[in-house]
Amino acid sequence: MQQEVSEKEKDSQQPDDQKFDMGESAGESFGIIKWAGFIGGLALFLLMLFSSTPQGLSLAGWRTAAVAVLMATWWVAEVIPISGTALLPLVLFPVFGVADIETTAAPYADPMIYLFLGGFIIAIAMQRWDLHRRIALNIIGFIGTKPRNIIAGFIISSAFMSMWVSNTAATMMMLPIALSVIQLAKNADESGAVQPEYRNFALTLMLAIAYAANVGGLGTVIGTPTNALMIAFVNDAYAMEITFAQWMSVGIPLVLVGLPVIFYVLTNWVFPMRLQRLPGGKAYIEEEVNRLGKISRPEIMVAAVFVLTAMLWMSRPLLVQLIPGLSDAGIAIFGALLLFLIPVNLRKGIFLMRWRDVEELPWGVLILFGGGLTLAGAIQRTGLAEWVGGYFEVLGGWPVILSILVISMVIIMFTELASNSATAAAFLPVIGSVAIGIGQNPLLFAVPVTMVASCAFMLPVATPPNAIVYGSGVMTIPEMSKAGLALNLCFVILITLMTYFVFSAILGIRIGHVPALILP
């Protein structure tokens, strides 16, 4: 046991490509797009700031709009790291009288941020002891090692891991395994040339990992920041609470339907799968499992904490009657603290988690989350959302399902060029006001907007998983765009239909009815 712990301790430092990140490149040059974004955003900000306030909007609302335009422009162009842009309200809102510093800073400590913090720490513990890798390899081995089965196994593994850890980390974990499998496929071709069937297998496998990681994150509140951002927004703006279990009752059905769509579109439509056999595939997966060795005691303990935390999240609606004040965020921090308290080797002072492991935590995501909530709160509080929403009253004459479809299409195309969290932060307060303005529950538009923001599949810049698999060199941008466009259309239609017919029933949304609780 001591040897096992020692080996794990030696390997516990994650390599750079396994660390959480925001999909940002610290050494990226300040090119023409960033210069255009920097100058253009600043010019628009100053122009709005010193122009007259539009009729029907308060001065604070117009200044909020100026800050929102600046932030949106810098987010899209990534002038500075997107988490850095998220800090702008702390400087600009108090200076321009939008809100005092206490009001501005409060959302940066929103309970949802602590839900994510706890979730990230649990995810890092899974990575430290290689539990995530064991789960993924066993899923792939269980499903089978025929080419189509391998793709299905990677889809399920990527999606499941992305429900509980960062989709970036889930993709990073699956990438080296997938590249090794692709090499087996190339070796299987005796002619030495890359045949179409092998090419299609490689393309499908890599894209399946990225797309499944994106969609899998929709299954839980902690799967992607956009989920928690929306839940925090509707709670703050409309006093509408969505629990961890309630979101899973919405997210899991979409994941269960969406993953087969990804599999079918990639293997039968975009890149038809004709490869029937992969020599050595089974042996490779078995070899990787054997390299992990017998499941260790630390892995078992981390798995126990993970399961306990998940069970508490799902049963909180019942437990809160016995433990008033119990929250999803409190449960997440409880699970994280257990990891620091449970010893692996007490004599050597080795515990399941060390603080230096947590130093790799994606703090930028938490800052972005707080900045998004601060911006959304100001847009709502100053009347800007209601003012902008007035220009969308035309949607009131459309069929509701068509309104959802059009809004979802706009959001998914916008997200191809900007962070999904930034997109959600900018659009949610406006979309909420549009819904109320045409006599609908804000959740009817907020839920699909949140979901399609994570379903941008066309471009590498759309999501970190897209960028990671594109960086492997296996595919070109046209190939990714070809598959991504097909899936964008599929998921816009799928999310629209599920929102109208399924999610509305699960969340108690009545079409054509605004809850009395949020009426002025």
Side-chain angles (χ1 to χ4, degrees):
M1 179 61 209
Q2 291 179 1
Q3 181 182 1
E4 174 189 327
V5 171
S6 176
E7 290 172 356
K8 288 288 187 180
E9 281 289 296
K10 188 188 302 181
D11 296 336
S12 64
Q13 295 296 326
Q14 301 172 29
D16 290 341
D17 65 346
Q18 289 287 339
K19 295 175 182 177
F20 287 107
D21 62 59
M22 291 286 293
E24 300 164 349
S25 300
E28 188 177 348
S29 62
F30 206 89
I32 187 170
I33 294 178
K34 292 191 176 186
W35 272 116
F38 172 70
I39 297 172
L42 203 56
L44 286 171
F45 171 69
L46 293 173
L47 179 64
M48 294 176 68
L49 201 62
F50 293 105
S51 62
S52 58
T53 304
Q55 186 175 2
L57 183 63
S58 66
L59 177 61
W62 186 235
R63 288 177 173 176
T64 299
V67 174
V69 167
L70 175 63
M71 292 177 69
T73 306
W74 282 16
W75 269 333
V76 171
E78 293 190 50
V79 174
I80 60 176
I82 57 176
S83 50
T85 300
L87 292 171
L88 283 175
L90 288 171
V91 178
L92 299 179
F93 281 178
V95 168
F96 293 108
V98 174
D100 58 37
I101 187 62
E102 289 80 9
T103 302
T104 303
Y108 290 87
D110 188 270
M112 279 295 168
I113 291 180
Y114 292 95
L115 173 61
F116 254 82
L117 177 63
F120 279 145
I121 292 174
I122 294 172
I124 291 172
M126 294 175 69
Q127 289 184 310
R128 180 188 179 193
W129 301 104
D130 269 346
L131 176 61
H132 62 320
R133 186 175 177 85
R134 184 180 299 278
I135 292 172
L137 286 170
N138 277 283
I139 291 174
I140 296 168
F142 176 77
I143 291 177
T145 52
K146 290 182 179 180
R148 293 176 72 91
N149 288 0
I150 286 177
I151 291 169
F154 271 88
I155 287 175
I156 294 172
S157 299
S158 300
F160 177 78
M161 296 308 304
S162 189
M163 289 170 59
W164 308 103
V165 306
S166 156
N167 59 8
T168 305
T171 307
M172 285 288 194
M173 176 195 68
M174 303 302 295
L175 182 66
I177 306 173
L179 289 174
S180 298
V181 172
I182 289 171
Q183 190 60 45
L184 286 175
K186 289 181 179 178
N187 292 341
D189 182 18
E190 297 177 358
S191 68
V194 180
Q195 300 297 320
E197 56 267 31
Y198 297 116
R199 175 71 178 163
N200 282 4
F201 172 74
L203 287 171
T204 300
L205 182 58
M206 297 303 288
L207 289 173
I209 291 171
Y211 296 165
N214 288 335
V215 173
L218 295 172
T220 65
V221 173
I222 62 171
T224 178
T226 56
N227 299 350
L229 187 65
M230 189 277 286
I231 292 171
F233 166 70
V234 298
N235 185 40
D236 291 344
Y238 309 120
M240 303 171 73
E241 183 183 11
I242 299 177
T243 66
F244 197 99
Q246 283 178 313
W247 181 264
M248 285 189 71
S249 69
V250 171
I252 295 298
L254 178 61
V255 173
L256 293 178
V257 176
L259 295 185
V261 170
I262 292 173
F263 179 80
Y264 179 82
V265 169
L266 289 179
T267 61
N268 293 279
W269 185 4
V270 183
F271 303 114
M273 183 57 52
R274 297 187 177 92
L275 188 64
Q276 299 298 320
R277 181 171 172 269
L278 186 65
K282 182 177 182 180
Y284 172 75
I285 297 299
E286 290 178 349
E287 179 185 349
E288 288 297 301
V289 173
N290 290 334
R291 284 179 59 186
L292 290 174
K294 184 180 178 182
I295 187 168
S296 65
R297 189 162 66 91
E299 287 179 86
I300 294 173
M301 291 188 291
V302 171
V305 172
F306 167 72
V307 171
L308 173 63
T309 305
M311 293 299 296
L312 288 173
W313 275 328
M314 289 184 280
S315 60
R316 185 177 75 84
L318 298 176
L319 292 175
V320 76
Q321 300 176 25
L322 302 174
I323 312 174
L326 185 65
S327 66
D328 288 337
I331 291 170
I333 297 300
F334 169 71
L337 289 173
L338 283 179
L339 296 170
F340 290 100
L341 291 170
I342 298 176
V344 174
N345 188 318
L346 192 58
R347 184 172 58 85
K348 291 186 175 181
I350 300 173
F351 293 79
L352 288 178
M353 280 295 289
R354 304 164 299 184
W355 186 253
R356 71 170 178 263
D357 297 315
V358 181
E359 290 174 355
E360 304 300 337
L361 190 145
W363 299 102
V365 174
L366 304 181
I367 294 173
L368 173 63
F369 191 90
L373 284 178
T374 297
L375 178 61
I379 291 173
Q380 191 74 23
R381 188 173 54 252
T382 60
L384 176 60
E386 185 178 353
W387 181 78
V388 173
Y391 288 92
F392 291 87
E393 289 181 356
V394 64
L395 295 178
W398 294 10
V400 174
I401 196 168
L402 179 60
S403 298
I404 297 172
L405 180 68
V406 171
I407 291 172
S408 298
M409 183 63 72
V410 170
I411 296 299
I412 202 169
M413 297 311 295
F414 190 88
T415 308
E416 292 288 353
L417 302 174
S419 156
N420 56 357
S421 297
T423 300
F427 279 94
L428 278 173
V430 175
I431 293 300
S433 288
V434 169
I436 295 173
I438 63 175
Q440 299 292 343
N441 189 316
L443 287 177
L444 191 63
F445 290 170
V447 170
V449 162
T450 301
M451 288 182 164
V452 297
S454 294
C455 296
F457 304 120
M458 287 180 60
L459 298 176
V461 298
T463 66
N466 290 12
I468 292 166
V469 298
Y470 174 73
S472 68
V474 172
M475 73 204 67
T476 64
I477 288 181
E479 286 170 332
M480 175 177 279
S481 298
K482 176 184 176 182
L485 178 60
L487 282 168
N488 276 7
L489 295 173
C490 288
F491 271 83
V492 164
I493 295 171
L494 175 62
I495 290 172
T496 297
L497 293 175
M498 292 193 72
T499 298
Y500 191 82
F501 294 106
V502 181
F503 302 157
S504 56
I506 293 174
L507 295 176
I509 300 171
R510 290 169 54 191
I511 307 297
H513 173 75
V514 181
L517 185 64
I518 62 177
L519 288 172

